[in-house]
Amino acid sequence: MRIGIFFGGQSREREISFAGGRTVYDNLNKELFEAVPIFVDSLGHFILLDWQYIYKGTIRDFYPPHSFHPYSPHSFQLYLESLGAISEDEMNRIIASVGKRINPSEFTSLFDFAFLALHGPYGEDGNIQGILEWYNIPYSGAGILPSAIGINKTVQQGLMKNAGFARPENRRLSRKDWFRASDKGALMQSYSKELGWPLVVKASSQGSSIGVTILDAPDVRKFAHAVNRAFFIQEIETEEWNQKSPDEKIVYIRQLTDIREGIGLPVMIGDTCIYHPDHLLSYMDEYFGANATPLFLESLDNEDEILIESFIHGKEFSCIVIQDEQGIPMALPPTEIIKGNNFFDYRSKYLPGMSRKQTPIQLPLSQIQEICKACEKLFTDLSFNVYARLDGFITAEGKIFLNDPNTTSGMLPSSFFFHQAAEIGLNPSQFLTYIIRTSLAERIRTGKKTYKLRSLLNDLDMDLERLQASAAVKTKVAVFMGGFSSERHISVESGRNIYEKLSSSTKYQPLPVFLSGDESQHRLFLVPVNIMLKDNADDIRDKVFNPVEKHPAIKEIQKRCESITQKYAGQPLSEVREIHYQELSSLVDAVFIALHGRPGEDGAVQAELEKLGLPYNGSGVESSQTTINKFETNRRLREAGVHVANSMLVYKQEWENFYFDLIERIESQFKYPFIAKPSDDGCSSAVKKIKNRDELVAYARLMFGWEDIHDSESARVLKIRFNEEFPLKTYFMIEDIIQADGARHFLEVTGGMLSHVNEHGDMWLEVFEPSETLATGEILSLEEKFLAGEGQNITPARFAKDEGTRLYISQQVREQLKRAAQVLNVQGYCRIDAFVRIFDDNHAEVVVIEINSLPGMTPATCIFHQTAINGYKPYDFIDRILTFGKQRTLKSKEVSA
């Protein structure tokens, strides 16, 4: 069955939709479905997207293409609407550079079923559903009416109140009344008198907590800011702007124009419309240079009415409700949201470590049953179908408040959608299959084109029966994830991604293995899918080492869903099981090591697997032992003539015993600012730009464990974020900041490569086009490297504007990166981070920063952008990696024999 996946869209949630569409594209079972990517741009064009672009980190990384961007001295990211007025001819050229423009009348020739991963207006409001019904195309999720209800919070309020659901007290505020209000303080007092404190201010037609603010106490300035934010209006004071440094102004503009947390672009200032961030920056500099009055900016994509609600004190939860195959709603186990901030905002929803999910919510069984019943009733009362995500609160007195029902859920790998399905034993691929089948059955109930729909349904059912029989002949692969380093959370993200790519394939059957323990003893655990999909490595470790009896609510819901689980997953692993290295040979045919740092990249795991003769991915023992050590890597590369940064190691014992001498030596060899980082960790973990002695001392105190990272003076000096980690080490590394040094063009890149074996048994390296990496702060952060929607990676890197010159420079860069990999005998695949200096004669000089022998394999990592240029989809790339591991093991056995 051909599945058209609709993603992107015109709403402010387009980046989450884009990432969710990629999840669906990757996880659709390849034995059942053919995925057809339909990208919807921010002007509403439908584009049959070339598959390579699905693996970009954000929409702005590829659309509009950088060749269509006006010059930006500050490298601002742009959406299509920032190009201003676009002629039809130019629009066609923009679309043709990434795919093929299609009209709805062409849909039936391209796909049989539409999977909707769109969010917000135009995606969840019935618009796209209406188009699809007009062309008789079945689609996933709710129909036109429930979608229209689900998007409008104001309409929901009345319907839910009439149906007897408890609701927080609320008041509406129109844009017209807000602008008319001369006394904002009096308006605030009137709301607080009626609703009390805290107040919740929210946009009426947005999802993902966009435009939502919680106000804890009376403050007219904060109240006005919250209301403006919900209307997508920004008021800027002259003094506020003029006190900012040039760099701070750039950061401010970048945040202001971010559609997720700011007002976005284009904006109106009076009668002037501004499309481009650079133009906005110039306008504001000019305005505040001559005016003392505030400036009002209003998004073209704004709200006409907002809601102001009373705050509910209680446990917050989210519950996915699905229909069974008879159309009866069933609530999956509700998840409690434990927030790092005071409310579940956009970043808390989608970035690991910003919040935690506890499934089921920690309550007595009777109260969980009440939540489930309430969610099922609301699902029915609002005429929802197929599935929905219902959020709510339960107070200490047991009163349930349901709010903001959503007819489409976020579909990132660790979202509630997959998190709760895993509790009944379905992995993401299986759950997507279930949603498609249930949606087909629901569309049949509408009485439209039922013969065609029943034919699709019957074919799918026959394929599902065939699928159960084919599982036994697949290659079994243990996917190692977790570990005990500061990189364990990214390892879990990588491991889950590998697991999901393999589980939807026709060739492999993956087994998730969580590694914990310490360097003296690795402990391995086979984990069920519901444990694998916990928020992060620490949550998984807690479930592994502190097993508790299955919650009665989980048992009850699993019992209700037993027939679904058996049909789509067979008999999935249901309990954690500890295993030992020696058992692996009898369980699997190969191992994919998705670990980062120690263990994993240090050769320790590889040594154990070589004893068993099991194929694995990545470099061998000796090479891994070298590349894990950045200082030793630098030394070896320097001796081989490869450019690296000047560096030194700072030892804890020397710091304690020879503090003043050591400080003087550091300051004589290195000029502030310089880089400090662990010598044997990656993923930007604890990498800091040190600008003075106070920061150096603070860094040492945290690295050597003399102060706690949380709420300490050293943490404040270094501006440590609340969810940031510092590994405890006995030494760390200092290195020079790499600078342009007279180069015409200077940029940071990361380049990947893949090992192959030719017909003579010789190994050769395929080097991919490097990506240009742009950091929003001083150092490229972990989120910017690996998380969808964060950071900017441009692939291929912009070495030059002229394509011929770019290719000439790129070839030089790739040769130098390849040389570094060969010096250290890197095998399998790797990622090399480096800086590139390009001089007037187009000579390129590469300065290598580090070599990652097991690079991050999260869905958004730029190694997938690079492999796509060479024709590899992520699964193809992973398959090649595993194939090379098998070839290497066979060759090793032949040599031994």
Side-chain angles (χ1 to χ4, degrees):
M1 191 189 302
R2 298 171 302 165
I3 308 294
I5 303 165
F6 284 71
F7 61 119
Q10 302 181 62
S11 82
R12 293 175 180 273
E13 300 174 75
R14 68 189 73 154
E15 291 291 4
I16 289 304
S17 170
F18 179 72
R22 175 172 53 225
T23 304
V24 176
Y25 184 85
D26 278 343
N27 281 279
L28 284 179
N29 192 299
K30 307 301 184 296
E31 293 190 71
L32 301 174
F33 307 114
E34 176 191 343
V36 181
I38 309 296
F39 173 65
V40 185
D41 74 13
S42 50
L43 297 183
H45 302 113
F46 298 107
I47 303 170
L48 178 61
L49 194 68
D50 291 345
W51 66 263
Q52 294 93 330
Y53 296 105
I54 294 170
Y55 299 104
K56 298 294 186 182
T58 72
I59 295 170
R60 292 171 295 178
D61 285 346
F62 74 96
Y63 193 81
H66 290 280
S67 58
F68 289 88
H69 285 209
Y71 172 69
S72 174
H74 305 107
S75 298
F76 286 121
Q77 292 182 304
L78 300 180
Y79 286 110
L80 185 63
E81 53 268 33
S82 283
L83 297 184
I86 305 172
S87 69
E88 187 68 11
D89 178 62
E90 186 175 32
M91 191 70 253
N92 287 334
R93 287 190 291 115
I94 288 171
I95 292 174
S97 66
V98 299
K100 178 188 174 186
R101 186 174 186 168
I102 55 174
N103 294 312
S105 60
E106 300 174 82
F107 287 173
T108 52
S109 66
L110 295 171
F111 51 85
D112 310 300
F113 179 96
F115 197 105
L116 301 181
L118 296 167
H119 294 287
Y122 309 103
E124 289 185 78
D125 58 0
N127 281 340
I128 188 66
Q129 291 83 358
I131 291 172
L132 292 166
E133 292 212 2
W134 184 261
Y135 288 99
N136 300 306
I137 296 171
Y139 55 87
S140 64
I144 297 172
L145 175 62
S147 296
I149 294 170
I151 197 66
N152 192 310
K153 295 179 176 62
T154 304
V155 171
Q156 290 170 14
Q157 300 279 356
L159 291 173
M160 292 172 70
K161 187 175 181 179
N162 291 341
F165 288 92
R167 296 289 306 148
E169 289 295 317
N170 68 81
R171 300 293 180 269
R172 302 178 190 179
L173 175 61
S174 70
R175 178 178 173 277
K176 181 172 66 176
D177 288 343
W178 174 241
F179 279 118
R180 282 178 177 173
S182 57
D183 188 343
K184 310 294 188 190
L187 187 64
M188 179 189 73
Q189 292 297 337
S190 70
Y191 285 127
S192 65
K193 185 176 180 180
E194 296 176 28
L195 303 174
W197 293 99
L199 286 175
V200 181
V201 183
K202 61 171 67 172
S204 291
S205 303
Q206 302 295 327
S208 295
S209 300
I210 291 172
V212 178
T213 306
I214 295 177
L215 298 170
D216 294 318
D219 186 315
V220 178
R221 187 180 177 87
K222 289 183 179 178
F223 174 74
H225 177 75
V227 172
N228 283 336
R229 184 169 182 262
F231 279 122
F232 301 104
I233 298 168
Q234 185 79 17
E235 179 183 1
I236 306 168
E237 301 281 352
T238 304
E239 185 179 3
E240 176 191 1
W241 180 257
N242 288 336
Q243 285 179 347
K244 296 181 186 298
S245 69
D247 286 345
E248 287 172 335
K249 289 178 180 179
I250 292 168
V251 171
Y252 183 86
I253 292 293
R254 187 173 279 118
Q255 293 171 341
L256 177 70
T257 58
D258 188 323
I259 57 173
R260 302 164 301 176
E261 299 179 1
I263 64 174
L265 286 171
V267 295
M268 295 298 299
I269 303 177
D271 295 328
T272 302
C273 186
I274 296 179
Y275 295 90
H276 195 285
D278 280 306
H279 299 164
L280 181 59
L281 177 61
S282 300
Y283 184 100
M284 291 170 65
D285 268 336
E286 184 178 339
Y287 177 89
F288 288 121
N291 295 277
T293 54
L295 194 62
F296 281 87
L297 289 74
E298 184 172 7
S299 171
L300 292 187
D301 182 20
N302 55 34
E303 296 279 320
D304 191 59
E305 183 178 75
I306 67 170
L307 288 174
I308 300 176
E309 293 182 347
S310 59
F311 183 80
I312 303 168
H313 294 276
K315 288 177 177 283
E316 187 171 0
F317 63 83
S318 189
C319 182
I320 300 291
V321 179
I322 60 174
Q323 282 178 276
D324 68 13
E325 294 192 345
Q326 285 70 50
I328 299 169
M330 294 195 304
L332 297 180
T335 299
E336 181 178 355
I337 302 159
I338 304 167
K339 302 174 288 293
N341 298 321
N342 69 338
F343 97 103
F344 198 45
D345 62 7
Y346 184 96
R347 291 181 66 82
S348 298
K349 282 185 174 181
Y350 301 118
L351 296 184
M354 300 291 284
S355 63
R356 293 184 61 206
K357 304 182 185 81
Q358 177 71 49
T359 306
I361 184 171
Q362 293 303 287
L363 290 169
L365 176 61
S366 59
Q367 288 188 309
I368 294 176
Q369 290 171 330
E370 287 177 21
I371 290 173
C372 291
K373 287 177 183 176
C375 290
E376 290 168 357
K377 182 178 186 300
L378 181 59
F379 186 94
T380 301
D381 289 352
L382 294 184
S383 302
F384 284 4
N385 41 53
V386 184
Y387 77 95
R389 196 193 80 234
L390 308 179
D391 302 331
F393 296 85
I394 182 167
T395 68
E397 298 75 34
K399 190 172 185 179
I400 297 169
F401 291 84
L402 297 179
N403 65 310
D404 299 347
N406 295 272
T407 53
T408 297
S409 175
M411 293 189 185
L412 271 67
S414 59
S415 68
F416 295 114
F417 185 72
F418 297 122
H419 184 89
Q420 292 179 18
E423 294 294 345
I424 62 169
L426 300 187
N427 67 31
S429 180
Q430 294 157 351
F431 192 45
L432 290 174
T433 301
Y434 176 76
I435 292 297
I436 290 170
R437 191 198 181 283
T438 309
S439 298
L440 276 172
E442 182 60 34
R443 302 288 88 86
I444 289 172
R445 293 187 187 99
T446 66
K448 301 174 185 176
K449 304 294 181 183
T450 55
Y451 181 83
K452 172 189 171 184
L453 296 178
R454 285 198 181 96
S455 177
L456 283 171
L457 190 64
N458 290 337
D459 288 347
L460 179 56
D461 283 341
M462 286 190 290
D463 284 342
L464 282 168
E465 290 180 14
R466 176 180 52 78
L467 193 66
Q468 295 283 1
S470 69
V473 298
K474 292 185 176 182
T475 300
K476 294 180 173 58
V477 179
V479 181
F480 278 27
M481 64 187 82
F484 37 81
S485 76
S486 59
E487 301 172 66
R488 61 195 180 279
H489 303 307
I490 290 299
S491 166
V492 166
E493 291 290 311
S494 291
R496 285 196 283 233
N497 188 40
I498 298 298
Y499 171 88
E500 289 166 5
K501 299 288 190 295
L502 297 180
S503 67
S504 63
S505 75
T506 60
K507 182 177 179 180
Y508 295 104
Q509 180 181 343
L511 280 72
V513 176
F514 184 74
L515 186 147
S516 191
D518 54 38
E519 290 190 12
S520 65
Q521 182 188 17
H522 298 169
R523 298 186 65 183
L524 309 178
F525 299 88
L526 277 175
V527 293
V529 65
N530 67 311
I531 302 295
M532 183 192 73
L533 287 181
K534 296 301 178 189
D535 270 359
N536 55 48
D538 293 346
D539 283 353
I540 297 174
R541 184 181 60 195
D542 180 61
K543 298 295 182 185
V544 164
F545 284 104
N546 302 293
V548 294
E549 186 179 351
K550 192 176 292 182
H551 196 286
I554 298 288
K555 290 182 179 178
E556 186 176 274
I557 292 168
Q558 285 179 343
K559 185 68 176 175
R560 287 185 66 190
C561 298
E562 197 170 51
S563 62
I564 295 172
T565 305
Q566 287 180 353
K567 179 172 181 176
Y568 293 87
Q571 296 294 327
L573 180 70
S574 60
E575 302 291 341
V576 173
R577 175 187 159 198
E578 184 166 10
I579 60 173
H580 301 283
Y581 277 113
Q582 291 77 11
E583 293 178 69
L584 282 172
S585 296
S586 62
L587 293 173
V588 299
D589 307 299
V591 174
F592 196 104
I593 308 169
L595 301 164
H596 305 309
R598 294 181 186 272
E601 290 188 82
D602 60 355
V605 172
Q606 291 85 342
E608 295 293 340
L609 297 176
E610 288 190 3
K611 292 176 189 175
L612 303 170
L614 274 175
Y616 61 85
N617 56 306
S619 289
V621 176
E622 184 180 352
S623 178
S624 299
Q625 289 171 341
T626 302
T627 54
I628 189 66
N629 187 321
K630 296 182 180 68
F631 188 78
E632 178 64 14
T633 295
N634 276 6
R635 187 188 68 78
R636 294 270 296 273
L637 292 176
R638 188 183 296 111
E639 288 178 353
V642 178
H643 292 284
V644 295
N646 178 43
S647 59
M648 71 173 286
L649 295 179
V650 177
Y651 291 92
K652 180 178 182 180
Q653 187 174 4
E654 190 176 7
W655 188 280
E656 289 175 315
N657 297 332
F658 306 102
Y659 171 76
F660 291 107
D661 290 342
L662 180 57
I663 289 286
E664 285 185 8
R665 182 152 56 90
I666 291 171
E667 292 179 342
S668 68
Q669 292 185 38
F670 298 87
K671 291 181 179 179
Y672 295 109
F674 52 73
I675 299 296
K677 60 186 179 184
S679 184
D680 59 353
D681 268 304
C683 297
S684 297
S685 174
V687 179
K688 294 293 175 185
K689 185 178 183 179
I690 304 299
K691 296 180 285 295
N692 52 54
R693 183 180 288 191
D694 287 344
E695 291 187 358
L696 175 61
V697 172
Y699 189 90
R701 294 190 67 80
L702 292 178
M703 186 64 65
F704 296 149
W706 294 329
E707 279 189 39
D708 188 71
I709 187 173
H710 301 293
D711 197 30
S712 67
E713 180 59 29
S714 291
R716 283 187 284 275
V717 168
L718 291 175
K719 298 178 182 177
I720 302 294
R721 295 171 300 168
F722 82 93
N723 65 331
E724 196 171 343
E725 289 192 20
F726 252 64
L728 298 182
K729 303 286 184 179
T730 57
Y731 62 93
F732 63 88
M733 183 171 161
I734 287 173
E735 67 181 16
D736 283 330
I737 291 178
I738 308 302
Q739 296 176 325
D741 287 353
R744 182 190 75 230
H745 187 34
F746 177 66
L747 64 164
E748 184 175 0
V749 303
T750 181
M753 52 195 77
L754 174 66
S755 294
H756 298 271
V757 177
N758 64 22
E759 63 272 19
H760 305 296
D762 299 321
M763 191 188 82
W764 62 278
L765 280 172
E766 179 181 10
V767 185
F768 302 116
E769 282 281 1
S771 301
E772 180 181 350
T773 57
L774 300 174
T776 56
E778 295 177 335
I779 300 293
L780 193 68
S781 71
L782 182 146
E783 289 89 352
E784 287 174 316
K785 278 188 175 183
F786 298 114
L787 295 179
E790 297 294 306
Q792 184 177 17
N793 292 296
I794 300 170
T795 310
R798 298 173 297 183
F799 294 125
K801 288 186 177 180
D802 174 70
E803 181 62 9
T805 306
R806 189 198 69 76
L807 288 171
Y808 172 71
I809 296 169
S810 173
Q811 183 61 33
Q812 294 179 62
V813 172
R814 283 182 283 161
E815 284 298 325
Q816 292 179 60
L817 295 178
K818 179 180 178 181
R819 168 71 177 142
Q822 289 172 331
V823 167
L824 298 176
N825 193 28
V826 174
Q827 295 182 1
Y829 65 120
C830 73
R831 192 192 78 233
I832 301 181
D833 299 334
F835 286 92
V836 177
R837 299 184 181 115
I838 302 168
F839 297 93
D840 288 336
D841 61 356
N842 290 325
H843 166 69
E845 180 180 274
V846 175
V847 184
V848 173
I849 299 300
E850 64 177 279
I851 298 178
N852 298 276
S853 61
L854 291 177
M857 297 286 273
T858 66
T861 185
C862 60
I863 200 166
F864 290 135
H865 314 169
Q866 298 167 16
T867 60
I869 292 175
N870 285 26
Y872 302 112
K873 293 181 180 179
Y875 166 75
D876 300 326
F877 182 50
I878 295 163
D879 181 40
R880 294 293 181 100
I881 291 167
L882 286 168
T883 299
F884 175 81
K886 182 178 179 181
Q887 291 171 332
R888 180 179 54 192
T889 300
L890 287 172
K891 186 174 181 179
S892 176
K893 289 179 178 177
E894 289 170 3
V895 170
S896 298

